[in-house]
Amino acid sequence: MYQFSSRLKSFSFALMVLGILGIGYGFWTAPKTNEDVEKILKEQEAHHGGAHHDTHAAASHSEATHDEHAKVEEHASHEATTHEAEVVDTLKHEVAHVAVDTASHAEVDSTAVVIAPVVANHKSDIYVSKFHKEHVDHAAEHKEHVEHVKHQLQNKPWSALYVACIFFMLIAVGALAFYAIQWVAQAGWSPMLFRVMEGVSSYLLPGSIIFIVILLLTCFRVGDNHMFVWMADGVATKGHENYDHIIAGKTGFLNIPFFLIRAVIFLFGWNLYRYVSRKNSIKLDQTRDMSFFRKNYNAAALFLVFFIVSESMMSWDWIMSVDPHWYSTLFGWYVFASFFVSGITVITMTTIYLKNKGLLPEVNKSHLHDLAKFMFGISVFWTYLWFSQFMLMWYSNIPEEVTYFVTRIENYNLPFFGMVVMNFVFPILILINADFKRLSWVVVMAGIVILAGHYVDFFNMIMPATVGDQWFIGVSEISSVLFFAGLFIFVVFTALTKAPLASDGNPYIEESKHFHY
Amino acid sequence: MSNKVVHAIYNDDDVLLAAVHKTKAAHYHIEEIYTPFPVHGLDKAMGLAGTRLAICAFLFGITGLTIYSFMLKFIMISDWPQDIGGKPSMAFYQNMPAFVPVMFEGTVFFAAHLMVITFYMRSRLWPFKEAENPDVRTTDDHFLMEVGVNGNEEELVSFFKNTGAVEVKVIDKH
């Protein structure tokens, strides 16, 4: 039996406490009012100095003109009373005429000189009224902009929490899918690792409970949570200021009750399989009754059928619907590849940890090699899907779908392309070598980069829609990851203590013990 | 120097593997082993060095990637940068996604074909090559170990008889 080492336990608690504090800080410092946002925008502008961001420039411009506002208005009204609009118009015409003809008709010059002061006077007048009009637009725009930024900044701690929560929950789902595949395929190498896989997937239950709580908080808009645009009031009501024609057409699928029902069904189905399979697996060890093996085989086959459908719909619901105007057909597989490789990576890293503590004496370098091969292969698979999705949209460049990538490339350039380096270039160069796949430190290093890369992947899927260009990997994001990492470690290693680490009732266990490649 | 070799013939791969271990332990030099199918672990037992074909393939792949990248860069960007359907042809990176399928296939093409050709060259295989088969049964169900004779011929023959060989012959090799 595995004993949860007290050092690891305190480490996981430290992570959770740090995480909770940071998450709390994130919510505490999120702006509550428009005034807070104005202040933040000013600060951002000060930080940026000369290098103005578009939105900052617009904001600062309005700031500066605010004070002049009264003066300008007074001046404009004064001018309006002394000069008739007709006069202004004719003069304007003349100005244009003079400007055009100056070069060719020298004699006009004298008249031009005569009227010049007058024209100059009127020109400034026209300019002022024009400027004034622009200025009014700016004020309205600025207010809208502040409102927009406020929503983004209020979303930030929520999105950070959401990304970390879904990422860690899906790692458990990925491990569970891998586990089910091993049962169905009747793999001869992996039964040695079944307990580790069951341990990693044990996070599914607490993970999905927290996730469903966050979904409920989102659906009932507790706190300033605007992550899902389609949940806003009146998006589907004609004549409402929030009315969105496109979202209104999707309410048959995207409505809160159906959304929650689907979420419950998916999470229930996955948890049910995990519960049944774990129970049968332990019973198989205890009784050596082959009926449990067959039961688990059937359960895994049924689960995989349910999983591929639910996983696809899950990705539309929980991830794609933050961008309700955008759709992609291979999105479900893309999300699957991302968390599947993360799940395998976590299984590998847990195995290496336990092996290094001498708790899995029969796990050899060939098991490690096989896991590393899966990490390598699925990383490439992820890249294939990432590229297919990106390239098809980039190539056809249809405005309604390409905006998804335009916002990501413009505002998330480093994370967007950085994750390709972390999830593809790095693993392909490191894990292509057969000898490297047998060195645990190389596999752990690759695993850390892959996990970080896939966190960034989920970050890239959620953040551009919820916080837009206000993103920043700061206290909220890091703390959320720390909290869920701590919880994950605590739950997984607690589950590992519940049963002997070597599952010895499996008919393939002898083959697995002697597995070598 | 005599060109005599012992041909020890076996009819089971497990017996062959055991014989290889014994021969290695007795420090006889194994010239060659002929088998009808790949015997798992034979190369390890004989102490053969690992193949470097995978390294070749990797380098060939990189070569292919480089060649195709430069080809596309030259044709599409440098030589005649036309506007084809609005694709940005000002710089390589701007148009790169469209080149990736070609670059990928080029990499695989070079890695695969050049590796196969390397294998043929290294193994000296080509059409109309004369087969180097010492005994026709080795392509069917017999295994043959060839060991050079240095010194006592009798002793060597009896050694191989004891390793479970079904037949031991001493042959003058030209």
Side-chain angles (χ1 to χ4, degrees), chain A residues 387 390-391 394-395 429 432 516, chain B residues 58 87 94-95 97-98 100-101:
Chain A
F387 183 71
F390 169 65
M391 194 264 242
W394 172 86
Y395 206 105
L429 292 178
I432 200 166
H516 83 105
Chain B
F58 185 77
K87 287 278 163 286
Q94 287 181 317
N95 214 349
V100 166

Side-chain angles (χ1 to χ4, degrees), chain A residues 28 96 268 312 376 406:
Chain A
W28 181 257
F268 178 76
S312 189
F376 174 75
V406 170

Side-chain angles (χ1 to χ4, degrees), chain B residues 70-81 89-90 92:
Chain B
F70 275 105
M71 185 184 84
L72 288 162
K73 162 84 169 62
F74 176 72
I75 297 172
M76 304 304 291
I77 310 294
S78 310
D79 192 35
W80 196 358
S89 53
M90 281 69 82
F92 182 69

